[in-house]
Amino acid sequence: MNKSLKISLIAFAIMVAIASMAAWYAASFMKPSELTKLLSVFVKKSTGRDLKINGPVSLSLFPAISVKAERVSLGNTALASQPDLLTLKQIELDIRLFPLLKGSVEISRIGLEGAEVYLQTNKDGAVNWNLTPPVLASTSSVNQGALSG
């Protein structure tokens, strides 16, 4: 085996060991309850809906970054007859590592178990599966005033 190949293999092994230690270190300090709160706040801000995770949440870093949660529900709109748009017995997300290093989140796999989805349309044609957050009346009137003045 030539010298440059040996050096390359040793450098690669060292990088893998350092990355593994960093992943273990990060996972040991991340609490699932904090992850649950972070996800709930993000979903509320993005959709206007309440995300509830009533079961355990786990995070694993090998062989891929994976988040697993049990007994998950996503709140419904006022027009719907059911309190939740979606309920899941379990959800598992595999997240790609390299996009995270660039500041974006890419999910490579979504696993769902026990999914129940309640899709409804009211008599005016409004649907409960529109996940855009509601626009506040005060915000739109402030923006209109800024545009007209």
Side-chain angles (χ1 to χ4, degrees):
M1 187 180 295
N2 73 28
K3 188 175 182 178
S4 62
L5 182 60
K6 261 187 193 178
I7 291 172
S8 297
L9 288 175
I10 291 171
F12 179 73
I14 290 171
M15 288 187 334
V16 167
I18 289 171
S20 298
M21 289 176 12
W24 171 81
Y25 181 77
S28 65
F29 286 101
M30 185 176 289
K31 296 178 184 173
S33 61
E34 292 175 7
L35 182 60
T36 301
K37 289 178 190 173
L38 182 67
L39 287 171
S40 296
V41 168
F42 176 76
V43 168
K44 181 72 170 184
K45 186 182 288 187
S46 300
T47 67
R49 310 285 180 102
D50 291 323
L51 175 71
K52 295 177 188 166
I53 303 173
N54 296 318
V57 176
S58 62
L59 175 69
S60 66
L61 300 171
F62 189 79
I65 299 172
S66 182
V67 178
K68 183 176 172 183
E70 296 180 16
R71 297 190 315 272
V72 177
S73 63
L74 181 64
N76 221 334
T77 63
L79 72 93
S81 62
Q82 299 287 328
D84 296 317
L85 169 67
L86 169 72
T87 60
L88 299 168
K89 181 177 178 184
Q90 178 179 296
I91 183 168
E92 188 171 354
L93 305 171
D94 289 347
I95 303 166
R96 296 179 191 260
L97 176 62
F98 292 115
L100 280 178
L101 299 175
K102 294 187 276 182
S104 65
V105 177
E106 288 184 21
I107 298 172
S108 60
R109 186 181 72 83
I110 300 175
L112 303 175
E113 184 179 320
E116 293 183 18
V117 183
Y118 303 99
L119 303 177
Q120 292 180 297
T121 305
N122 71 4
K123 62 182 177 185
D124 298 326
V127 297
N128 70 331
W129 63 87
N130 181 354
L131 295 178
T132 56
V135 177
L136 299 175
S138 61
T139 305
S140 61
S141 64
V142 169
N143 289 340
Q144 287 175 349
L147 293 174
S148 62

